[in-house]
Amino acid sequence: RLARWQGDVAAAGEELQALSGVDRLVLVGLRLGAALAATGSAGLPVERLVLWDPVTSGRSLVDRWQGLHRNLIGDERFFPRPRQDGSDGLLGCAFSLPLRQDLAKLDLATLDPWPSRRISVVASSPGAEAAALVEALRARQLFADLVLPSTPGTWDNLVTMEKAFVP
């Protein structure tokens, strides 16, 4: 469940503080991990959040994954034995209905309060989603910046993955 993952973020932050003795933390999260860093670190002394290609809408993520799953389920290169039992498999992993429902409620645009006043949003490719998040954060008087790396790319480009891994 999502609450468990968020609790894991908080526990990791507390453990890092205990082991290192630092007073403030900088959290870096990628994709869904970015959303978990933002939503799971509320009680931690977070100096800065770095959200790299953050999932800003859990509903959009679940919809995209379900669409990819439907498109790939019949492709034996990805799913050699498609599930016949109607279980909660999604892209080869177990995703229960409660977890999907939790993820669908995740929305960084409405998160309040944010665990840090300083947030960097890294966007591997220019796009409206990251820019909209930065604007929403700035509207809340948070110090948010948008970082665009010099070499664009994406994390979940299945065409690139197919070219790289399928002969």
Side-chain angles (χ1 to χ4, degrees):
R1 299 288 303 257
L2 186 60
R4 171 75 183 266
W5 290 347
Q6 292 164 327
D8 289 344
V9 169
E14 291 166 2
E15 183 75 7
L16 178 61
Q17 274 193 285
L19 291 173
S20 69
V22 298
D23 293 334
R24 309 285 295 161
L25 301 171
V26 174
L27 300 182
V28 179
L30 308 172
R31 301 290 299 136
L32 183 55
L36 293 173
T39 61
S41 59
L44 298 173
V46 179
E47 174 72 24
R48 180 182 213 102
L49 276 172
V50 178
L51 310 176
W52 196 319
D53 290 330
V55 169
T56 59
S57 165
R59 165 56 49 209
S60 295
L61 177 70
V62 169
D63 289 347
R64 185 168 64 242
W65 282 352
Q66 287 175 328
L68 288 170
H69 182 83
R70 280 190 302 273
N71 290 338
L72 294 175
I73 194 71
D75 190 330
E76 292 186 8
R77 294 176 298 173
F78 296 103
F79 296 95
R81 293 182 197 96
R83 293 177 183 259
Q84 301 297 319
D85 60 1
S87 64
D88 292 320
L90 185 60
L91 294 173
C93 300
F95 276 85
S96 67
L97 180 59
L99 175 57
R100 291 180 205 200
Q101 291 169 336
D102 289 348
L103 287 172
K105 294 175 191 170
L106 184 64
D107 184 0
L108 290 188
T110 62
L111 180 63
D112 193 37
W114 276 78
S116 175
R117 294 195 43 80
R118 296 178 61 209
I119 302 147
S120 293
V121 178
V122 180
S124 293
S125 298
E129 188 175 3
L133 177 60
V134 169
E135 289 307 313
L137 295 171
R138 288 177 180 166
R140 293 183 189 177
Q141 306 304 310
L142 298 171
F143 301 101
D145 61 326
L146 179 62
V147 179
L148 297 169
S150 59
T151 305
T154 61
W155 290 100
D156 55 357
N157 186 333
L158 289 176
V159 174
T160 301
M161 287 173 38
E162 184 173 348
K163 288 179 183 174
F165 298 110
V166 178

